[in-house]
Amino acid sequence: MKRRDRRQEILDLLAQGDAMGIHGLAQVLAVSDETVRRELRLLESDGLIERIHGGARLAKSVEEGPFEARLHRNAAAKQRIAAAIARGVADGDSLYLDASSTAFHVAQALKGKRDLTIVTNALDVAAELGGRSGNRLYLAAGELDDRYRAFFDETARAYLAQFRPAAAIVSTESVDAATGFTDYHVGEGALCRQMIAQSRFVTMALDASKFDRTSVVAVATFADIDRIVTDRPIDPAYAAAAAGVDWITCD
């Protein structure tokens, strides 16, 4: 197993629940305890995990955290969600992709498509899809929020005001059946609300960890959303809240 793959597997294992011990991780990965310790030191230096006595757990944060850390959280689930979304995108479609880590995985899944028109405020989405396969890409700029590798300020919002994409693909930090979709970042929430209103069809992409949580910034109600793509089966509370919304549970 390549070192990068091993670190990703460690993050995926820790994302499944509580802390894991070094020896337990070594057994699952079929490597030595010392190899696990070395990988944990590197993951800790990147701010992705916290070392505890005899093991490790995912790093905790009041906010979503730097983009690289968010990108690795629940990555396997986000990739499945992204693949399901990409299957519904046709060559030539126009899309808004937000600055979420899930949208980055969607951008990667869209690399096989051609002649897309992409509108985004995210540097990494632009890097994935710009200048390839006949795509046209429009990147909103302004003052860079380097924690998110994206632009959320008034300049970015003014630039995006001119676009009316066929579809918006967005994600939030939290969703609750009573509260709706919420986020921690004020600028991200404002820009997301704007692009939801300006797009003809809205897909909300959420892995199971986002459910039954609330954050401080309101983003959308279920009435604002056309489709939810997730790895979580729908239950009665959400079936009632999301009546009229297409709910897709990916494999």
Side-chain angles (χ1 to χ4, degrees):
M1 183 183 294
K2 294 181 180 178
R3 171 171 281 187
R4 182 179 179 85
D5 294 336
R6 187 184 298 131
R7 290 179 200 160
Q8 180 61 64
E9 189 162 353
I10 289 172
L11 291 169
D12 288 343
L13 288 167
L14 295 178
Q16 294 175 16
D18 295 328
M20 289 187 67
I22 289 172
H23 188 63
L25 287 167
Q27 286 185 314
V28 173
L29 298 171
V31 296
S32 68
D33 288 6
E34 183 52 38
T35 296
V36 171
R37 290 189 185 94
R38 182 173 62 247
E39 302 292 8
L40 292 178
R41 285 195 293 270
L42 294 169
L43 289 168
E44 184 180 41
S45 69
D46 289 337
L48 301 175
I49 64 145
E50 295 174 352
R51 300 285 298 276
I52 60 173
H53 181 69
R57 63 189 176 197
L58 285 183
K60 303 293 183 183
S61 175
V62 175
E63 295 185 345
E64 289 186 76
F67 180 79
E68 185 67 20
R70 292 186 292 127
L71 188 63
H72 286 88
R73 288 188 196 130
N74 304 314
K78 292 174 183 177
Q79 288 162 0
R80 292 195 300 273
I81 291 166
I85 291 171
R87 286 193 291 269
V89 174
D91 292 346
D93 280 354
S94 63
L95 308 169
Y96 168 73
L97 295 180
D98 73 0
S100 65
S101 56
T102 304
F104 173 78
H105 288 293
V106 173
Q108 290 188 316
L110 290 174
K111 284 185 176 181
K113 308 294 182 179
R114 296 193 57 83
D115 302 321
L116 300 175
T117 298
I118 302 295
V119 180
T120 188
N121 61 315
L123 285 177
D124 292 283
V125 169
E128 289 296 310
L129 294 175
R132 63 183 298 137
S133 304
N135 294 341
R136 300 174 66 187
L137 186 133
Y138 297 92
L139 175 63
E143 181 180 1
L144 177 68
D145 184 328
D146 58 355
R147 285 172 56 83
Y148 282 69
R149 293 184 54 77
F151 304 91
F152 303 107
D153 63 2
E154 184 177 347
T155 302
R157 294 196 297 272
Y159 178 77
L160 290 174
Q162 66 188 304
F163 295 99
R164 298 294 184 273
I169 299 168
V170 298
S171 184
T172 60
E173 171 64 11
S174 314
V175 60
D176 177 78
T179 308
F181 304 91
T182 54
D183 222 320
Y184 285 119
H185 191 295
V186 173
E188 184 175 40
L191 201 149
C192 195
R193 288 194 300 272
Q194 174 183 330
M195 295 310 298
I196 286 172
Q198 291 174 204
S199 302
R200 297 196 293 276
F201 187 91
V202 179
T203 294
M204 184 67 72
L206 299 168
D207 68 79
S209 72
K210 306 295 183 68
F211 285 81
D212 304 323
R213 300 170 54 189
T214 58
S215 304
V216 297
V217 179
V219 175
T221 68
F222 286 94
D224 299 319
I225 304 301
D226 298 292
R227 179 175 61 179
I228 295 170
V229 183
T230 180
D231 59 332
R232 169 179 166 144
I234 195 166
D235 61 31
Y238 285 98
V245 178
D246 188 14
W247 186 293
I248 297 174
T249 302
C250 63
D251 296 329

